Amino acid sequence: MRIIGLTGGIAAGKSTVSRRWADHGAVVVDADQLARQAVAPGSPGLARVAERFGSRVIADDGSLDRAALGSIVFADPAARKDLEGITHPEVWRLAQQAFDAAAAADPDAVVVYDVPLLAEARGSRPISFDAVVVVDAPAAQRVERLVEHRGMPRDEAERRVAAQASDAERLSLADHVVDATGTLEGTVRSADAVWQRIAS
């Protein structure tokens, strides 16, 4: 089994790449889904988040109010680090379970770990990747995508992008780069070319 780390800034096109690679036979493990599991209602992770950030981040139904939490952590780097300290170790534990299951099902599997915050979590990363792939689109372009395609206010989009690792920090991790600066078709072509290198 090979484990490929796939990362990219918000609105870079990472989901497009992971879906394309799933079509090619990759087993995709989505860190965002694992992060939701890590703070699911009744979980120790959610209890720790509530303890740190208060009842204002808990919705009426007992689930995490992501918008309320996001408004806090994207405006306060110290708060974001506290949140990462709660969620990252649990996400890595869940990821390792998924990797083990994939290996048991197919010892030759190519597992793609789709993880947006790989650069941010590098100090707490217990998993050794066979390769790291960065989906690259400049920060300014990603802001425009958030505004145009997701309807996000520009100031919020700029905050979201600025809260993540820089393009240079992310690219410093890359063994391969998918160029997502152009059209969707161009991103898919670049993804296919990288897949041929990592899956052969």
Side-chain angles (χ1 to χ4, degrees):
M1 182 182 72
R2 278 168 289 166
I3 302 176
I4 309 300
L6 176 68
T7 194
I10 186 171
K14 185 172 49 55
S15 295
T16 297
V17 175
S18 67
R19 285 193 299 269
R20 182 67 173 180
W21 288 354
D23 290 343
H24 288 315
V27 177
V28 177
V29 177
D30 186 333
D32 282 341
Q33 290 182 1
L34 300 184
R36 286 189 283 276
Q37 291 178 37
V39 291
S43 68
L46 184 60
R48 291 183 62 199
V49 168
E51 181 181 349
R52 165 61 180 83
F53 295 100
S55 60
R56 59 186 167 158
V57 302
I58 305 300
D60 291 341
D61 64 359
S63 65
L64 179 65
D65 185 333
R66 294 183 177 278
L69 182 61
S71 69
I72 297 169
V73 300
F74 284 109
D76 181 349
R80 189 169 67 253
K81 283 221 172 290
D82 288 347
L83 177 64
E84 291 167 355
I86 295 169
T87 58
H88 284 178
E90 181 65 5
V91 170
W92 286 123
R93 185 186 70 78
L94 293 169
Q96 190 60 62
Q97 287 182 351
F99 301 155
D100 292 345
D106 179 4
D108 296 322
V110 177
V111 177
V112 174
Y113 188 37
D114 180 342
V115 52
L117 301 180
L118 186 61
E120 292 83 348
R122 62 189 305 179
S124 60
R125 188 174 78 207
I127 297 165
S128 177
F129 294 107
D130 294 286
V132 171
V133 178
V134 172
V135 182
D136 184 51
Q141 186 175 23
R142 292 186 283 114
V143 168
E144 293 303 321
R145 289 175 179 175
L146 289 170
V147 172
E148 292 176 16
H149 302 305
R150 301 192 196 180
M152 191 177 289
R154 183 170 297 276
D155 59 344
E156 177 68 10
E158 290 172 346
R159 276 199 302 274
R160 294 284 178 117
V161 169
Q164 294 187 333
S166 70
D167 294 341
E169 288 169 330
R170 204 175 289 108
L171 287 168
S172 72
L173 304 178
D175 298 300
H176 307 278
V177 175
V178 172
D179 181 358
T181 59
T183 64
L184 176 62
E185 292 77 11
T187 299
V188 168
R189 282 195 301 272
S190 183
D192 285 350
V194 172
W195 175 256
Q196 289 178 352
R197 294 197 293 272
I198 63 176
S200 58

